[in-house]
Amino acid sequence: MRSLDEMPDHERSWEALRRQCDGTVHSSYYLNRAWLQAFEGSARPRIVVVEEKGSIVGLAPLCSYRYSVKGVPIKVLSLAGDLRGRLRLSTNSILVSPGRPDVLEAMLREIKKLNWSILWTINMGWSPQTEAYVERVRETWLPIERTGQAMVTVPLPAEGDVADGFDRGARKNLRRIMNKLEREGVRVELAEIRREQIDRAVDEYARQHIERWESRGGSYFRNPENVRFLKLATREAYDRGQGYAAELLINGDVAAQYFIYIEGGQAYGERIGMSQRHADRSPGWLIMYHVMGELRSRRVHHLHVGPGTEQYKYAMGGQETILVGIGAIRGAVALLARLPMLSVDRLTGLKEDTGV
């Protein structure tokens, strides 16, 4: 599929394969389509589909983009949701019907036909199919080996206080924060964001992100594509009954926000924002605590807080799952990479973490 217009006809079969493969919400039809729509000025769909008797049995949700390094034009084929400076789909993965190595081979033949110098498929969820894909890419092209990031997941206690799963220091810190606010008469409440409030809420999220990060290297929410994606993805999730977003209000002011996708008993929450104005009141800890309670009431038992090893994730009882992936180069880029003065990293300009 090379255009957004081709995608709707495949939604039902795409989702059937994803369920068969236990793919995460980041491999879903609706998030891939929202990402490709929001970033259509930066990347183009190159979705490889393997069909059998009218059903999808293999799918590689890829996109293509170009850039140059020292004047050398580079053509990249990557998983949708992995483009530097753009919001990512953290565990987007290739999907292959279990027990079908022939489907994987058909997928690789189609990938081989596409126009690319670099293949970049990292941070996929582990499965026998993604493991087989990594091995076949390694055998077929000059590989770029990458150790996957750690995806951190916080299990929610089935009963009692949701903070019971936090470590001792985190529980003590949370009690101190809440007691201090109570003594000062500060009003704290959690408000769910309604669908008609999404655009306003995302604009506020972007404003606060820019305010917080402008003096520390800049905010990627200066890019309107990132704002557009968060709005599109959140609306699509709400329309499917899979979205939840909330604001923590301190004395009526928006002090923090959290945007989450929910599927079954799993919640995926990577977009958490905080106001500089209320930074001394630890709004990040407060919204995490209150949202975890709300998610548990919705029968969520695991909250995926995204890749990255920030300490607060582990203080809340976070557990690691290592993601898998691989890159590859071919053609002129592969030839240049063999020269002693050029490393693969210098030539490709790629980093392990290209999305944000």
Side-chain angles (χ1 to χ4, degrees):
M1 288 185 276
R2 291 175 175 264
S3 75
L4 293 171
D5 294 339
E6 297 177 74
M7 294 183 69
D9 291 342
H10 297 279
E11 178 175 4
R12 182 174 296 181
S13 190
W14 179 318
E15 286 301 294
L17 177 64
R18 182 170 72 92
R19 288 191 295 271
Q20 185 184 22
C21 297
D22 293 325
T24 73
V25 72
H26 295 116
S27 293
S28 67
Y29 165 85
Y30 83 87
L31 281 185
N32 273 271
R33 192 179 194 286
W35 193 92
L36 290 165
Q37 183 178 346
F39 299 108
E40 60 185 346
S42 302
R44 297 181 178 181
R46 292 293 184 267
I47 302 169
V48 175
V49 177
V50 182
E51 291 184 298
E52 184 177 73
K53 298 178 181 178
S55 297
I56 298 178
V57 291
L59 190 144
L62 302 171
C63 68
S64 68
Y65 61 91
R66 299 185 181 202
Y67 65 97
S68 63
V69 176
K70 299 185 182 301
V72 178
I74 306 291
K75 301 170 185 175
V76 181
L77 187 67
S78 79
L79 288 165
D82 198 3
L83 178 59
R84 185 177 298 177
R86 275 69 170 185
L87 301 189
R88 61 184 161 192
L89 301 177
S90 295
T91 51
N92 200 9
S93 304
I94 62 107
L95 303 172
V96 176
S97 187
R100 295 293 303 272
D102 57 320
V103 172
L104 177 58
E105 292 305 315
M107 178 186 293
L108 289 169
R109 285 195 296 272
E110 292 304 310
I111 290 174
K112 188 178 291 187
K113 294 176 186 177
L114 295 174
N115 186 13
W116 56 270
S117 303
I118 299 174
L119 177 66
W120 196 244
T121 49
I122 64 170
N123 292 328
M124 298 184 289
W126 183 90
S127 71
Q129 292 76 40
T130 53
E131 185 175 55
Y133 166 83
V134 167
E135 185 57 34
R136 289 294 292 119
V137 168
R138 186 179 288 125
E139 294 169 353
T140 305
W141 296 290
L142 183 62
I144 307 173
E145 302 289 351
R146 284 293 184 267
T147 302
Q149 287 189 298
M151 170 63 75
V152 182
T153 301
V154 177
L156 304 185
E159 55 187 21
D161 194 323
V162 291
D164 287 347
F166 294 8
D167 68 25
R168 182 180 178 183
R171 291 196 305 272
K172 182 178 179 180
N173 183 52
L174 182 63
R175 285 196 300 270
R176 179 188 61 78
I177 294 166
M178 296 175 75
N179 289 339
K180 182 174 184 291
L181 294 175
E182 186 176 356
R183 287 195 307 271
E184 294 175 353
V186 175
R187 190 173 76 257
V188 178
E189 57 184 313
L190 187 72
E192 183 173 355
I193 296 167
R194 300 188 302 274
R195 191 192 186 285
E196 64 269 20
Q197 297 174 316
I198 289 172
D199 283 4
R200 186 274 306 163
V202 172
D203 286 338
E204 177 63 13
Y205 181 99
R207 187 194 68 77
Q208 291 189 4
H209 195 279
I210 291 168
E211 180 183 77
R212 193 166 70 256
W213 289 97
E214 202 67 2
S215 62
R216 292 184 281 173
S219 166
Y220 44 80
F221 274 94
R222 285 285 186 190
N223 183 344
E225 288 182 327
N226 285 324
V227 178
R228 185 184 184 203
F229 170 68
L230 190 52
K231 289 178 179 179
L232 275 173
T234 304
R235 284 198 297 267
E236 289 289 334
Y238 269 55
D239 290 344
R240 287 165 170 76
Q242 295 182 336
Y244 172 71
E247 294 176 325
L248 183 85
L249 305 179
I250 293 182
N251 290 334
D253 290 340
V254 177
Q257 296 169 304
Y258 208 175
F259 294 84
I260 295 171
Y261 312 118
I262 301 174
E263 192 168 67
Q266 311 288 322
Y268 300 82
E270 298 178 27
R271 294 295 147 207
I272 183 168
M274 291 157 280
S275 165
Q276 280 292 96
R277 179 180 177 183
H278 295 283
D280 61 333
R281 290 167 168 163
S282 302
W285 278 102
L286 291 171
I287 197 168
M288 287 295 302
Y289 173 72
H290 288 291
V291 163
M292 287 169 69
E294 176 62 28
L295 291 175
R296 188 173 65 179
S297 74
R298 297 175 182 229
R299 300 184 179 180
V300 169
H301 46 75
H302 285 89
L303 172 60
H304 303 275
V305 291
T309 55
E310 295 90 342
Q311 185 55 40
Y312 78 89
K313 297 177 180 179
Y314 300 96
M316 293 189 300
Q319 301 169 354
E320 287 186 356
T321 300
I322 301 301
L323 305 177
V324 301
I326 194 167
I329 54 178
R330 68 179 184 181
V333 172
L335 292 174
L336 290 171
R338 296 178 188 275
L339 297 176
M341 72 288 295
L342 287 175
S343 68
V344 168
D345 286 342
R346 285 184 62 191
L347 184 61
T348 63
L350 292 169
K351 297 180 179 179
E352 289 191 23
D353 177 15
T354 55
V356 291

